[in-house]
Amino acid sequence: MIQTPFYLIDRARLARNMEIVDRLRAGSGAKALLALKCFATWPVFDALRDHMDGTTSSSLYELRLGRERFGKETHAYAVAWAGHEMAEAVGYADKMIFNSISQLNRFDTQSASIGRGLRLNPRFSTSGFDLADPARPFSRLGEWDVGQIETVMDRISGFMIHYNCENADFALFDRQLTRIEDEFGGLLHRLEWVSLGGGIHFTGEGYPVDALAARLRAFAERFGVQVYLEPGEAAVTGAASLEVTVLDVLNNGKDLAVVDASVEAHMLDLLIYRQSARMEVAGDHSYMICGKSCLAGDIFGEYGFAAPLAVGDRLSIADAAGYTMVKKNWFNGVKMPSIVVRELDGSMTVAREFGYADFEGNLG
Ligand SMILES: Cc1ncc(COP(=O)(O)O)c(C=O)c1O
């Protein structure tokens, strides 16, 4: 038995998502780039590489990881580049997407050897969280003034428009794409490519993949552009769990179980968005599952179990792929979960274990 805690990545689940990505690419003509901000666990890039066209990034390090560990087409985007990063970034990137006109101007000469794009902010989105809403008031995420964008159209070949956030509603996607066509159509006609970013949950149960493919194809044909998508969550949804062991059971008015992992250190997004973890359990024995860091609110959630929990029981916490491994940290010096891969034949491969040296080396 592999020592907990560990993230468990399931190749069969990745393959299921990739079948849908393939169907969407074939039906739409769109290219799919893995958004490394969501998932960058490169030991399983081989399961994605044949089904995706490359990667997109949010920093120099993600860009380099995409180029070196994934290969294929490599898009570079960052909210802002530093001057000392640009030469290296241009060396890795096939396309450089600037977040602002001022960054495009600043790095105009240095980036002229590769295709350039600009992030367009349509000023609407599907986000339900102010924290994650690219269209929030005063957003720094992209340009929106058509007059200003006009002044740089001769230097860019594409737009990146990321405005979908966990959007499982095709009708909403369709309406918002129509708004983009109506409001920015004059500019879109002059481009070679348009990336519609990530955030479309097309691998979710029951999503009308073929309708999405047809809509994307119609968009591409109308404006004469290559469409890109930048799926993060959609590519890896359902493909990993966090495997933990119960270390202590107590009752402080409620039955509590403390496990050998931490929400704050190992599933930070749940804390940020104030959500509970998902566990596929059922039963009458209710427990609050707690993390082992010192944070009082380090709580995975409350669940019903079929039998009382005991020290040594193993639990599996779902949805540990997207925005999870990329955000893990060493808070409290809690043991970093290993990275384990469930192969297609059911066998387990330990891809990476972390020890004290990693903790120490992280701080000095
Ligand atoms: C520019 C850009 N592209 C792609 C993504 C990936 O989005 P998702 O993981 O929701 O598909 C994001 C997420 O924030 C993003 O900001």
Side-chain angles (χ1 to χ4, degrees), residues 4-10 13 236-247 257-271 275-281 287-292 298-303 305 309 313-322 324-325 337-338 340 342:
T4 60
F6 59 92
Y7 295 105
L8 179 60
I9 307 173
D10 189 331
R13 298 301 298 263
V236 297
T237 199
S241 57
L242 176 62
E243 303 294 312
V244 302
T245 297
V246 175
L247 299 180
V258 180
V259 300
D260 59 355
S262 155
V263 179
E264 185 167 31
H266 309 141
M267 292 191 112
L268 182 61
D269 241 26
L270 295 174
L271 267 194
Q275 292 172 328
S276 291
R278 196 167 65 78
M279 286 183 69
E280 288 167 1
V281 291
Y287 286 85
M288 182 183 276
I289 303 299
C290 310
K292 65 164 286 175
D298 190 350
I299 293 163
F300 287 93
E302 291 190 46
Y303 313 88
F305 294 86
L309 291 181
D313 284 352
R314 288 200 170 206
L315 306 177
S316 181
I317 298 164
D319 299 335
T324 302
M325 280 172 258
S338 308
V340 178
R342 184 187 284 126

Side-chain angles (χ1 to χ4, degrees), residues 99-327:
N99 183 65
S100 69
I101 291 171
S102 65
Q103 282 253 307
L104 171 63
N105 287 337
R106 179 174 167 199
F107 299 116
D108 191 21
T109 315
Q110 278 171 285
S111 63
S113 59
I114 56 173
R116 274 96 55 91
L118 185 67
R119 179 165 183 170
L120 174 73
N121 188 330
R123 305 181 87 190
F124 52 79
S125 81
T126 68
S127 178
F129 290 99
D130 183 50
L131 181 66
D133 183 0
R136 79 210 297 262
F138 315 112
S139 172
R140 71 196 181 298
L141 302 173
E143 297 280 359
W144 51 267
D145 185 309
V146 172
Q148 300 242 345
I149 296 170
E150 281 281 359
T151 66
V152 299
M153 286 302 284
D154 57 332
R155 282 183 282 147
I156 61 171
S157 54
F159 281 159
M160 187 271 277
I161 320 171
H162 173 75
Y163 61 105
N164 286 283
C165 306
E166 309 217 343
N167 183 8
D169 179 347
F170 171 69
L172 176 60
F173 173 81
D174 182 25
R175 279 199 307 279
Q176 290 198 332
L177 191 58
T178 301
R179 262 182 90 177
I180 288 176
E181 292 175 322
D182 292 346
E183 291 175 28
F184 302 101
L187 298 175
L188 298 176
H189 274 297
R190 293 153 64 186
L191 298 170
E192 291 167 22
W193 56 271
V194 174
S195 172
L196 295 173
I200 310 169
H201 268 223
F202 60 86
T203 52
E205 269 328 302
Y207 192 94
V209 178
D210 299 324
L212 175 64
R215 184 67 180 90
L216 295 175
R217 186 172 286 283
F219 176 87
E221 283 170 2
R222 176 170 173 193
F223 297 102
V225 291
Q226 171 65 55
V227 170
Y228 288 88
L229 299 176
E230 303 178 0
E233 188 62 47
V236 297
T237 199
S241 57
L242 176 62
E243 303 294 312
V244 302
T245 297
V246 175
L247 299 180
D248 196 12
V249 178
L250 58 159
N251 184 304
N252 282 344
K254 271 187 179 175
D255 284 323
L256 313 175
V258 180
V259 300
D260 59 355
S262 155
V263 179
E264 185 167 31
H266 309 141
M267 292 191 112
L268 182 61
D269 241 26
L270 295 174
L271 267 194
I272 294 175
Y273 292 102
R274 308 229 177 275
Q275 292 172 328
S276 291
R278 196 167 65 78
M279 286 183 69
E280 288 167 1
V281 291
D284 296 336
H285 300 273
S286 181
Y287 286 85
M288 182 183 276
I289 303 299
C290 310
K292 65 164 286 175
S293 85
C294 65
L295 181 77
D298 190 350
I299 293 163
F300 287 93
E302 291 190 46
Y303 313 88
F305 294 86
L309 291 181
V311 170
D313 284 352
R314 288 200 170 206
L315 306 177
S316 181
I317 298 164
D319 299 335
Y323 301 99
T324 302
M325 280 172 258
V326 290
K327 294 194 177 190

